[in-house]
Amino acid sequence: MFYEAIVQVLSPIYENKFSEHSYGFRPNRGAHEALIKGSEYVQTGRTIVVDIDLKTFFDVVNHDRLMYKLSETIEDKTLLKLIRRCLQCGIMPDGLVSQRTEGTPQGSPLSPLLSNIVLDELDKELEKRGHKFVRYADDSNIYVCRQAAGERVMELISTFIESKLKLLVNRDKSQVCEVNQTKLLGHTIQKSEILTIAKKSVERFKEKVRHITKRNRGVSLEQVISELTPVLRDWLTYFRKSKSKTLMRNLDSWIRRKLRCFKIKQCKRVITLQRFLAK
């Protein structure tokens, strides 16, 4: 409740200041809007993506710099002190309580708003340079026309992030590549602007299904189905914009096969197995 109260105070103040290219944790904006905008950029011929990955973003946000940015807009010193106290709440590495000197309190309603405040400076810099981009939380994709231009942008923006924002760029995971060789919010934007489901998203989904349908769980088939249903519903809802009919059909067959294997494992007697297979 305490964090939520601060968010309710700060959100209206900063919402009008945020960039149009920012889609994460904002009212009437979300992943699907970011994906649609990315597809529009690809449609104009910007098929090279500068995919910048920030290393453990929530753990390395500098408190002093964040408080300075907040003080530029917020004049209430009492509120600023409360936010500082939230940032410095105790953590327990190796079981010892210590004072937090960087990072934001993960899992709290305050973290998404603070991340947008920190990265809004990046948005404004990209806008000033005339780049076409979308950002969802700490996931940023910049769309350009040529590989050489993308590599130049990667170097310049990475330097800005590390020197000005005091954040760390994960050079191993960041890349400049064709749009269909990377992913954005679990999707892959094809050169034809069509959205498909990224391979890693499918792998993670299958891993969840495997865990639920594990044959040695010792639960009923009805319980397995009740656990699987919300997972399927949420996954299908999130990827509803993708064009993946063949993939969905194959996943449907695979899930049904997993459920049949689960039921067969429970058939201890031959007659029970025969009746199930006949049915």
Side-chain angles (χ1 to χ4, degrees):
M1 290 294 292
F2 179 65
Y3 286 138
E4 291 175 358
I6 295 177
V7 171
Q8 289 176 4
V9 172
L10 295 184
S11 289
I13 297 173
Y14 281 97
E15 183 57 33
N16 293 330
K17 297 177 179 291
F18 287 151
S19 167
E20 286 296 312
H21 300 85
S22 168
Y23 294 88
F25 312 110
R26 296 182 60 190
N28 303 317
R29 285 169 168 261
H32 292 132
E33 287 74 21
L35 290 163
I36 291 170
K37 179 56 70 173
S39 299
E40 290 176 1
Y41 291 145
V42 172
Q43 191 175 6
T44 63
R46 297 176 180 273
T47 57
I48 302 297
V49 176
V50 181
D51 186 0
I52 300 177
D53 184 86
L54 298 180
K55 187 179 293 185
T56 57
F57 172 79
F58 285 106
D59 294 332
V60 299
V61 174
N62 184 277
H63 287 181
D64 293 333
R65 195 173 192 285
L66 174 55
M67 293 308 303
Y68 174 74
K69 293 299 296 181
L70 289 169
S71 67
E72 289 181 332
T73 302
I74 302 170
E75 298 180 357
D76 190 332
K77 292 186 178 180
T78 302
L79 179 56
L80 291 172
K81 287 180 180 179
L82 288 173
I83 296 173
R84 167 76 78 168
R85 192 176 300 171
C86 291
L87 291 172
Q88 294 180 334
C89 62
I91 54 177
M92 297 186 67
D94 302 321
L96 300 175
V97 176
S98 61
Q99 188 179 47
R100 188 192 294 269
T101 57
E102 61 181 14
T104 61
Q106 293 192 51
S108 81
L110 191 56
S111 291
L113 177 60
L114 293 180
S115 71
N116 276 335
I117 292 172
V118 171
L119 292 174
D120 185 62
E121 195 170 351
L122 171 62
D123 297 341
K124 296 299 192 290
E125 180 67 19
L126 292 172
E127 288 175 350
K128 188 172 72 174
R129 298 185 185 207
H131 292 306
K132 305 297 183 183
F133 69 99
V134 296
R135 181 179 66 78
Y136 190 98
D138 57 342
D139 194 356
S140 301
N141 276 12
I142 307 169
Y143 298 84
V144 297
C145 296
R146 295 183 299 277
Q147 180 74 19
E151 292 174 358
R152 206 162 46 242
V153 170
M154 172 67 81
E155 188 59 36
L156 292 172
I157 298 304
S158 295
T159 301
F160 173 82
I161 290 171
E162 293 180 336
S163 61
K164 188 71 181 294
L165 301 186
K166 307 301 180 185
L167 298 173
L168 298 177
V169 175
N170 191 332
R171 305 272 179 169
D172 294 331
K173 292 186 178 180
S174 299
Q175 59 179 334
V176 179
C177 60
E178 293 185 348
V179 66
N180 59 354
Q181 295 177 359
T182 186
K183 62 183 179 66
L184 175 64
L185 301 172
H187 294 71
T188 297
I189 303 176
Q190 302 297 331
K191 289 184 178 180
S192 57
E193 310 108 51
I194 292 175
L195 287 175
T196 58
I197 304 174
K199 290 182 179 179
K200 286 187 178 180
S201 299
V202 177
E203 290 170 5
R204 284 196 294 268
F205 171 71
K206 282 190 167 185
E207 191 58 39
K208 286 183 181 178
V209 174
R210 288 191 188 99
H211 176 73
I212 295 173
T213 59
K214 194 180 296 183
R215 282 174 279 178
N216 60 355
R217 289 187 62 199
V219 298
S220 67
L221 179 63
E222 289 72 19
Q223 181 174 335
V224 169
I225 292 174
S226 67
E227 293 177 14
L228 192 59
T229 298
V231 173
L232 296 177
R233 185 184 296 117
D234 292 345
W235 200 77
L236 290 170
T237 299
Y238 183 74
F239 289 104
R240 66 182 182 274
K241 298 287 186 181
S242 66
K243 304 295 183 182
S244 307
K245 285 186 178 180
T246 302
L247 172 62
M248 293 298 186
R249 194 179 300 115
N250 292 338
L251 284 175
D252 179 65
S253 298
W254 178 76
I255 292 169
R256 291 176 184 274
R257 187 164 63 251
K258 298 292 287 184
L259 291 173
R260 284 196 297 271
C261 290
F262 184 90
K263 182 62 178 178
I264 289 172
K265 178 72 174 180
Q266 292 185 326
C267 296
K268 303 297 183 183
R269 300 167 60 195
V270 176
I271 186 63
T272 308
L273 177 60
Q274 289 175 339
R275 288 172 180 170
F276 171 70
L277 292 176
K279 184 178 178 181

